[in-house]
């Protein structure tokens, strides 16, 4: 299946694709979700990437959607495609939306802070659920990546939370900040 999909995108122009071809390719990309090679190879062919990225939003293949949301940041010079990131942010699938938030930090850093805060506070997932914890973890990483003014507030909230992995990620971000000289410990102030 992988070889057939690769051969198809390499030999057939995207302009010749019919609905069945598109569905077959999206299915193959979804099945390749552990390696993500097909979506990356498709990303090297702008016409195919653009077509399949758009079509993935209407497809039933969640594992294709999140891969396109994640890969979209590598196409940040294409303004028309970049607008799709906002569609990926509202698919209703936790992992797809999380990958879209990560890409947004590259595509639209100015918007990323707003969405990271929204993801943290939206209460979409039950408190105590892995979905809620992982949304907050990604929000923290995005706030760190875009050097958001509110990062310290959310790091404190993470440190005070009951989420084990969220606390671990907050500690890692604090360590990175300290190593880069962004924050100082009380011992540094003596």
């Amino acid at each position: 299946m992988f070889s057939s999909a690769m051969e198809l995108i390499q030999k057939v122009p995207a302009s010749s694709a019919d609905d069945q071809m598109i569905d077959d390719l999206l299915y193959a990309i979804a099945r390749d979700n552990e390696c993500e090679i097909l979506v990356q190879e498709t990303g090297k062919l702008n016409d195919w990437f653009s077509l399949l990225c758009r079509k993935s939003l209407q497809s039933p293949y969640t594992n294709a959607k999140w891969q396109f949301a994640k890969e979209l940041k590598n196409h940040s010079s294409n303004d028309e495609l970049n607008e799709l990131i906002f569609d990926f942010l509202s698919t209703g699938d936790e992992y797809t939306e999380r990958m879209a938030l990560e890409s947004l930090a590259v595509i639209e850093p100015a918007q990323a802070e707003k969405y990271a805060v929204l993801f943290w506070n939206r209460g979409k997932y039950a408190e105590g659920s892995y979905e809620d914890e992982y949304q907050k973890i990604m929000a923290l990483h995005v706030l760190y990546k875009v050097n958001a003014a509110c990062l310290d507030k959310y790091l404190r909230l993470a440190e005070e939370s009951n989420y084990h992995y969220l606390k671990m990620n907050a500690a890692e971000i604090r360590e990175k900040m300290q190593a880069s000289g962004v924050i100082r410990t009380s011992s540094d102030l003596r």
Side-chain angles (χ1 to χ4, degrees):
M1 180 172 59
F2 178 86
S3 298
S4 295
M6 285 297 296
E7 184 177 347
L8 180 66
I9 64 171
Q10 290 170 344
K11 293 186 177 180
V12 177
S15 59
S16 299
D18 61 23
D19 290 341
Q20 186 62 56
M21 236 187 259
I22 292 167
D23 187 68
D24 290 346
L25 285 170
L26 289 173
Y27 177 80
I29 289 168
R31 298 292 298 170
D32 184 44
N33 68 343
E34 292 294 325
C35 299
E36 303 174 45
I37 295 170
L38 277 176
V39 77
Q40 292 167 10
E41 289 300 315
T42 303
K44 296 174 184 174
L45 306 165
N46 289 331
D47 290 345
W48 274 114
F49 184 81
S50 180
L51 174 66
L52 294 172
C53 187
R54 291 173 202 291
K55 295 292 187 175
S56 74
L57 283 161
Q58 290 86 41
S59 82
Y61 307 122
T62 301
N63 285 337
K65 286 178 193 171
W66 70 255
Q67 289 181 74
F68 280 103
K70 184 178 175 183
E71 181 69 20
L72 201 51
K73 68 181 171 273
N74 298 322
H75 297 267
S76 59
S77 62
N78 186 333
D79 291 337
E80 189 178 317
L81 262 183
N82 286 342
E83 289 301 311
L84 292 178
I85 198 64
F86 297 101
D87 295 324
F88 284 108
L89 285 165
S90 60
T91 61
D93 172 65
E94 186 275 330
Y95 195 67
T96 301
E97 291 176 357
R98 191 166 14 122
M99 294 301 100
L101 181 59
E102 180 183 40
S103 286
L104 185 64
V106 174
I107 295 169
E108 290 278 343
Q111 293 288 325
E113 181 176 349
K114 177 180 95 175
Y115 275 89
V117 170
L118 173 72
F119 273 46
W120 183 285
N121 293 310
R122 67 184 175 168
K124 183 175 181 177
Y125 303 104
E127 189 172 326
S129 67
Y130 82 88
E131 294 96 341
D132 187 50
E133 182 174 18
Y134 280 80
Q135 290 277 299
K136 286 176 169 58
I137 289 170
M138 183 59 77
L140 271 187
H141 283 278
V142 167
L143 291 170
Y144 172 69
K145 185 171 190 147
V146 301
N147 197 26
C150 63
L151 175 60
D152 193 59
K153 170 188 173 181
Y154 287 96
L155 285 169
R156 281 194 313 271
L157 288 171
E159 292 159 349
E160 295 167 2
S161 80
N162 293 323
Y163 291 134
H164 174 73
Y165 295 111
L166 182 58
K167 287 179 180 184
M168 282 178 46
N169 278 267
E172 289 171 10
I173 289 171
R174 289 247 191 236
E175 286 175 18
K176 288 178 190 175
M177 292 169 68
Q178 189 173 355
S180 67
V182 173
I183 61 170
R184 298 185 311 189
T185 64
S186 56
S187 64
D188 294 333
L189 300 174
R190 288 189 227 153

